Amino acid sequence: LITLVGHGAHIYMASYSKDSSKVVTASGDGLARVWDAVTGRCLLTLEGHKASVYMALFNGDASKVVTASNDGTARLFDADTGACERTFEGHLLAVHTIAWP
């Protein structure tokens, strides 16, 4: 059991990478964070959303994270650097769920 400390608001969800080495969290503080699943150390903070992040998921090889937010966007992040690679805009309301194919 690990405790993940660092978000400034409640956590909406947490999801493991396929190999269970990392955890990604989505929070009401507008951030997603990538954590070491063994130590609980925060590895990356994924920034850019302007409102709560409802969901965050790794892709199959844990090289990317996709997020869904109350700001009406989804974002694609590099899970190694934390860089936002793409913002999916155009939704009129919040994006609540996301999925990888």
Side-chain angles (χ1 to χ4, degrees), residues 12 15 29 31 34 52 58 60 68 70 75 77 84 87 91 94 100:
Y12 284 106
S15 179
D29 63 8
L31 302 172
V34 176
S52 296
F58 288 106
N70 191 41
R75 291 179 182 260
F77 292 91
C84 181
T87 301
H91 299 88
W100 288 100

Side-chain angles (χ1 to χ4, degrees), residues 7 9 21 53 67 88 92 99:
H7 280 293
S21 67
V53 178
T67 58
F88 301 91
L92 298 178

Side-chain angles (χ1 to χ4, degrees), residues 3-99:
T3 301
L4 306 175
V5 178
H7 280 293
H10 53 278
I11 294 174
Y12 284 106
M13 76 162 300
S15 179
Y16 279 94
S17 59
K18 190 173 183 178
D19 68 0
S20 299
S21 67
K22 297 177 184 177
V23 175
V24 63
T25 53
S27 174
D29 63 8
L31 302 172
R33 292 182 186 262
V34 176
W35 310 83
D36 182 295
V38 175
T39 66
R41 184 173 66 92
C42 182
L43 303 173
L44 290 171
T45 300
L46 308 177
E47 301 179 42
H49 285 294
K50 296 177 177 75
S52 296
V53 178
Y54 292 134
M55 196 169 190
L57 296 173
F58 288 106
N59 68 338
D61 67 2
S63 64
K64 308 288 182 197
V65 171
V66 66
T67 58
S69 174
N70 191 41
D71 67 7
T73 68
R75 291 179 182 260
L76 178 68
F77 292 91
D78 182 296
D80 294 317
T81 67
C84 181
E85 296 182 345
R86 187 165 179 191
T87 301
F88 301 91
E89 299 177 296
H91 299 88
L92 298 178
L93 298 173
V95 179
H96 290 275
T97 59
I98 41 153

